[in-house]
Structures are given as structure tokens and as C-alpha cells.
Amino acid sequence: MGRFDLRVLAGALALTVFLLPDMGSAQLRQNYYATICPNVNVEKIVRDAVTKKFQQTFVTVPGTLRLFFHDCMVQGCDASAIIQSTPNNQAEKDYPDNLSLAGDGFDTVIKAKAAIDAIPSCRNKVSCADILTIATRDVINLAGGPSYAVELGRLDGLSSTAASVRGRLPQPTFNLDQLNALLNPLGLSQDDIIALSAAHSVGFSHCDKFSNRIYSFSPSNPVDPTLNKTYARDLQGMCPRNVDPRIAINMDPNTPKTFDNMYYKNLKQGKGLFTSDQILYTDPRSRPRVEAWAADNAAFQRAFVAAITKLGRIGVKTGKNGNIRRDCAAFN
Ligand code: HEM
Ligand SMILES: *[C@@H]1O[C@H](CO)[C@@H](O)[C@H](O)[C@H]1NC(C)=O
Ligand SMILES: *[C@@H]1O[C@H](CO)[C@@H](O)[C@H](O)[C@H]1NC(C)=O
């Protein structure tokens, strides 16, 4: 092979490697709806609907944020998580493992969609997947977190099955290697995982999701030794053995309604609720990031924005692989 061919080959290879992590986002861009819904500020309409919902209940924040995460993890960010089950199809949201996605997250998207569709020139032109993406940015900001420009242009997915959820969601018992093994292939680095996990700075968890850590950790240590002893006792008080499975507690014991870097400060004190939270501080490979973001909220916010933007690029549907749903909860 001549010198010229080698250079062409090297160039092609470099280009391929360069483009690979970004494949899913080829069609996404900021201000996507400027030409599709001209003279209408789509993002403002969503923002107003989300703000109204937020004023009714704070659960709007964690409900929407977790719905976005789950949606992107299972078959990509395509609003497949919003689909309701029918007699013929058990949808993602009804995965038998009781995901307990908060109804207020679904309702936020439905309301924002209704507000957009009330404008004749915008009717059925904005995807539910994009509405969920915008609403997620807005709830983060309403809870005291950063605001940021969102990339848009996703279509809504054409399938949603409970079976497709299996193995796609990280478990609260995961260690750092397990988190990396599941999420790195989706384009999320270890730093992205550490940044995104701070979403647990707001919202609730049911007691059964961490009861192993306070009652049955190991034969010699019923309580996980990486848990703060005072916090472990508080958790045992709020979540007695055989507690009603519907009981849920704040994941951030200090500032449960603020989206902030308290999450990392809590980890430094042994107050990460799940193994998958606390491991970020216990494991020496991720601890330096936790230390840095516990000390610097602005640096945390920058990392979070970069990470959630990457999350929003996973498995985006375009062309024949999607459409614009008329009802976010049902296929057209
Ligand atoms: C990295 C591994 C993660 C694991 C193992 C995990 C696991 C969990 C679990 C077990 C719950 C409690 C659910 C319940 O009992 O109802 C929860 C709640 C929540 N998660 Fe995660 N999660 C992870 C990452 C994320 C990410 C990346 C986000 C968003 C960017 C997120 C957002 C939330 C929110 C907001 C809640 C509270 C939901 C509510 O109050 O309704 N999580 N998570
Ligand atoms: C699932 O969670 C909901 C809400 O917390 C609860 O009402 C229901 O009993 C749970 N179902 C199972 C099978 O655990
Ligand atoms: C455990 O929590 C208590 C009470 O919040 C706190 O004063 C203490 O410093 C924490 N312990 C450790 C080891 O961080």
C-alpha cells in the first residue's frame, strides 16, 4: 500500500472513531423547533406548564427527572417509558420489579404536551421525547440546579415492552465496576455516572431498596460498615423491619428539595442511601471526583450538564424508527 493510501486509511479510521460516540445525536440540535413551529417559543410553553405543575407538587421534580433517566436507559430517549400498558401489551413502566415511577412525572409531560398542542401551528409537531427532555431541564432548574441549552429533534419510539427493561437499569446494590459495565457502553463515562448520580439529591426511595444495608448486610455485619452509624439508626427508625412497602423516605437527608452538591457532602459523611451511591466515595477510583464536587457546586453543575446532555443522546430515534405521538401515553 502506498503512502497516500495509508494516509487516507488513517484519516478514515480517525473519522470513524471520532464519530462513533456521537452517532445517536447526529440529528439533535439546539433550537430545533424554531423552523418546525415558527413564531412559537416551544421551550417557554413547556417551561410554563412545568412551573405550574411544580407549584402544585414538588414530586414534579424527582418524578420527571427519574422518568427521563429510565426512558433513556431502556431503548433510548424515545418516550417509550411514558406508554401505558394495554390488554395486549405490558409496557416498560409496568416491569414486574415495581419501578414505582411517580405519576407526577408522566402528568408533567402530558400537561406540557397539551399546552403545546393547544397552539394550532404546533399541534402534533413536538415529540413527547423532546418535551420530556425540556421538562427535565426545567425541573432541575426549578429545584435550584443549573439551566442549560437542550438538544432536540428526537422522535417518539414505536415500542415499549416490560421485557425490554430487564438488565437495562442500574441496581441500588451495584458497585463501581457494575455501574461502569452497564453505562460506559452507552457513552457515559465514570465521571458522567458520578455527576448524574447527584440526581439522588432530590426525591424518595422505598425502604425495600436499601433495607439490606441496615438489617442484613452480611453475617458478621448486619449494618453496612460504610454507612454513617447515626444515619443507619435514623434509617432503621424510618424503615422498621417488615415496613409497609409503600413507605418512602427522602434520599437526601439534608436538602431533599434542592438540586445541589449536598449529595457529595453526604457521601463524605457516609450518608449515601444506596450501595451505588456510597461506593462513589468508598472506591478510591471515584473518590477524588466526589471530593472535588463536594467542595465546588459550580464545577459539579458543569459536569452534570455535560453528563445529562450525553444521557439525552442515547438511542435517539429518527426517520422510520419513530414518529410524533398524538397522545404521549399511547401509540398512534
Ligand atoms: C447510577 C445508578 C442509579 C441507581 C442504582 C438508581 C436507583 C434508584 C432507586 C432504587 C431509586 C428509588 C426508587 C423507589 O424506591 O421508588 C431511585 C430514585 C431516583 N432516581 Fe435513581 N438510580 C441511579 C441513577 C439515577 C440517575 C442517573 C438519575 C437521573 C439523572 C436518577 C434519578 C432518580 C430520582 C430523581 C429518584 C427519585 C424518584 C422519586 O422520588 O420519585 N437516578 N434511583
Ligand atoms: C409497588 O409500589 C406501589 C407504590 O409504592 C405499591 O402501592 C404496590 O403495593 C407495590 N407493588 C408490589 C407488587 O410491591
Ligand atoms: C455521621 O453523621 C453525624 C450526624 O449527622 C455527623 O456528625 C458525623 O460527623 C458523621 N460521621 C462521619 C464519620 O462522617
Side-chain angles (χ1 to χ4, degrees), residues 29-83:
R29 56 188 157 83
Q30 293 174 13
N31 299 318
Y32 177 83
Y33 290 101
T35 49
I36 292 168
C37 257
N39 306 318
V40 176
N41 189 337
V42 167
E43 292 184 40
K44 178 164 188 312
I45 294 166
V46 173
R47 170 91 185 190
D48 289 347
V50 172
T51 303
K52 209 165 164 190
K53 174 83 190 162
F54 170 78
Q55 285 161 353
Q56 288 160 1
T57 170
F58 183 81
V59 184
T60 304
V61 176
T64 305
L65 182 52
R66 184 158 175 250
L67 185 59
F68 179 67
F69 175 54
H70 280 218
D71 185 37
C72 294
M73 293 303 293
V74 182
Q75 300 196 41
C77 312
D78 65 350
S80 54
I82 305 175
I83 291 287

Side-chain angles (χ1 to χ4, degrees), residues 113-256:
K113 164 86 167 159
I116 286 173
D117 284 351
I119 300 162
S121 65
C122 269
R123 202 174 154 78
N124 296 325
K125 289 185 177 173
V126 183
S127 70
C128 302
D130 279 345
I131 293 172
L132 177 56
T133 306
I134 301 168
T136 298
R137 181 267 310 274
D138 295 337
V139 295
I140 289 167
N141 186 233
L142 285 165
S147 190
Y148 50 92
V150 285
E151 297 177 341
L152 301 172
R154 297 164 189 78
L155 288 180
D156 296 326
L158 305 176
S159 86
S160 171
T161 64
S164 66
V165 179
R166 177 180 291 278
R168 300 318 314 163
L169 295 171
Q171 295 303 304
T173 51
F174 272 15
N175 63 28
L176 190 62
D177 288 321
Q178 291 170 307
L179 290 171
N180 277 321
L182 181 67
L183 299 167
N184 294 354
L186 300 175
L188 300 171
S189 67
Q190 180 171 297
D191 279 357
D192 294 328
I193 296 168
I194 303 167
L196 287 170
S197 294
H200 292 172
S201 162
V202 290
F204 305 90
S205 169
H206 295 85
C207 294
D208 62 318
K209 295 294 189 291
F210 56 86
S211 59
N212 67 314
R213 298 188 72 207
I214 53 176
Y215 292 120
S216 54
F217 186 69
S218 73
S220 51
N221 260 326
V223 179
D224 184 336
T226 65
L227 255 184
N228 180 304
K229 291 201 168 48
T230 314
Y231 184 48
R233 259 198 307 277
D234 291 346
L235 290 175
Q236 287 170 339
M238 292 183 285
C239 294
R241 281 177 198 275
N242 305 319
V243 68
D244 182 333
R246 286 169 303 184
I247 300 289
I249 64 148
N250 287 325
M251 291 196 288
D252 177 343
N254 290 321
T255 56

